[in-house]
Amino acid sequence: MKNITIRPMGPEEIDKMASLISMGYYDDIFFKWVVERDEDRHKIVTDYYKVYLNAKGRLAYVAEAPSGEIMGASVWLPHDTEPRVYDDINAAAGIYADRFQAVADWSHLSEPPMTPFYQLVGFATVKEAQGKGVGAAMLKYHLDAMDGLGIPTYLEASTPYHGKGVYAKFGYQPVGELMVFTDTAVLYPLWRPARKKQKVDFGGYSWCVLEERNDCMLLLSEKVIEHGKYHDTFENITWSTSSVRRYLNNELCGSFKPEEQAQILGAVDKIFLLSVEEVVQYFGDSGQLKNPTVNFYIDDIYNDARKATMPGEIPSRWLLRTPGSSNNLVAVVTVDGRICVTGDFVNRASTELFNVGIRPAMWVKKEGIALL
């Protein structure tokens, strides 16, 4: 489906999304064994997913059509989720608690001993979206973020694994033994190691590939390439008239060879800084951008993926192009990977103890650029 947006699930959507996932599993052969009576299945499985969606540390996403209609939902749990989750599941399962408990016990035995990892525990699309790439988009959204953190993922599929299909496409492979409850109720444990971000060498710098689109790719410098201010003086300023924008599109762009400059795309900005929204998009979205837990920072599990260093592995802040809480402040990523949305002074200079610098981004033609 075209123009599908994948985004974190809001807390107000939990009941609705638990019901959507439950409906997706209503005719699933495994859940038919877990909750045998058709008249009980939807409510029990909905309550089951409400527990997961309220669990500490869970990551949950929805696929939203341009109309605002929700086309799918998924939920992932960290390997060390709080033990009370399973007590809550037993309470929600009622007369079917023994079977839910049997699944949980076997699942713990089947999980690989490596930590940390995230497990996919719920994944469904509405009927009209099935087979149209919505499920793949939800998987990609989560896996891209986990790859940035170096965190592997695990799942237990309720349909046979044949080395094809969406899970195989994303690199999942069988691990351990099949979980056989009956002749028809079988789970297939699958494991996917984290993948490293692809990198390229361009213009003498190492760049991370954030996105590939048709014949072009979006690059972000692997390191903070140099100390730098957002603007020369302390004043109200925006990206369009900032000193750093002039530097990126004149001095830095001009430092590349003519043939390299020809590879760089963009009519207005050939080289730019990422926005807060783009950092969230490419490094992982916990939902704090739209539903902040504090007013000053986005501080979540993706901090490590956002950390950056200068040459010599010196930790450094890196500038973004989004204004802070006023136009004499600018958003930055801190040395510990938090996004300071309130911002820092636009003319903040680096010191021996406080490094702040430039991590440029640009769209380039893919032709002739080899991955490292």
Side-chain angles (χ1 to χ4, degrees), residues 28-42:
D28 182 87
I29 194 166
F30 182 78
F31 274 95
K32 280 190 168 186
W33 168 74
V34 178
V35 183
E36 287 182 311
R37 293 175 53 181
D38 291 347
E39 58 268 32
D40 292 340
R41 191 173 308 118
H42 180 61

Side-chain angles (χ1 to χ4, degrees), residues 64-84:
E64 187 175 44
S67 63
E69 184 180 2
I70 302 302
M71 310 306 290
S74 62
V75 57
W76 302 74
L77 284 188
H79 76 283
D80 57 353
T81 190
E82 50 196 352
R84 74 164 186 82

Side-chain angles (χ1 to χ4, degrees), residues 74-77 118-123 139 154-156 167:
S74 62
V75 57
W76 302 74
L77 284 188
Y118 266 81
Q119 179 176 347
L120 179 62
V121 294
F123 182 75
L139 272 177
Y154 171 74
L155 62 88
E156 292 156 359
Y167 294 136

Side-chain angles (χ1 to χ4, degrees), residues 51-229:
V51 174
Y52 281 150
L53 291 170
N54 281 291
K56 184 178 179 181
R58 65 90 171 133
L59 296 174
Y61 313 101
V62 297
E64 187 175 44
S67 63
E69 184 180 2
I70 302 302
M71 310 306 290
S74 62
V75 57
W76 302 74
L77 284 188
H79 76 283
D80 57 353
T81 190
E82 50 196 352
R84 74 164 186 82
V85 162
Y86 301 102
D87 294 332
D88 292 344
I89 286 173
N90 285 338
I95 63 172
Y96 304 100
D98 287 350
R99 291 190 178 181
F100 279 95
Q101 186 64 55
V103 174
D105 291 343
W106 202 333
S107 180
H108 293 323
L109 293 173
S110 297
E111 292 171 357
M114 293 80 82
T115 57
F117 64 85
Y118 266 81
Q119 179 176 347
L120 179 62
V121 294
F123 182 75
T125 58
V126 297
K127 282 190 176 181
E128 55 267 36
Q130 292 173 6
K132 297 182 179 179
V134 174
M138 285 194 293
L139 272 177
K140 183 179 186 303
Y141 186 91
H142 179 79
L143 296 177
D144 283 351
M146 292 297 101
D147 286 346
L149 291 168
I151 295 178
T153 58
Y154 171 74
L155 62 88
E156 292 156 359
S158 59
T159 53
Y161 180 89
H162 298 298
K164 300 178 180 178
V166 68
Y167 294 136
K169 175 184 175 183
F170 283 98
Y172 282 97
Q173 293 293 325
V175 61
E177 298 180 359
L178 296 185
M179 299 166 60
V180 182
F181 298 90
T182 71
D183 290 344
T184 56
V186 180
L187 291 178
Y188 300 79
L190 304 176
W191 176 257
R192 179 188 183 273
R195 294 175 177 174
K196 293 182 178 179
K197 279 189 179 293
Q198 293 182 315
K199 296 176 184 177
V200 300
D201 181 83
F202 185 86
Y205 299 100
S206 177
W207 303 80
C208 299
V209 180
L210 298 184
E211 181 181 352
E212 294 187 54
R213 188 184 299 170
N214 299 325
D215 61 348
C216 59
M217 60 176 68
L218 174 61
L219 306 181
L220 175 70
S221 65
E222 181 181 6
K223 295 187 177 295
V224 174
I225 63 169
E226 60 184 285
H227 293 145
K229 302 177 184 178

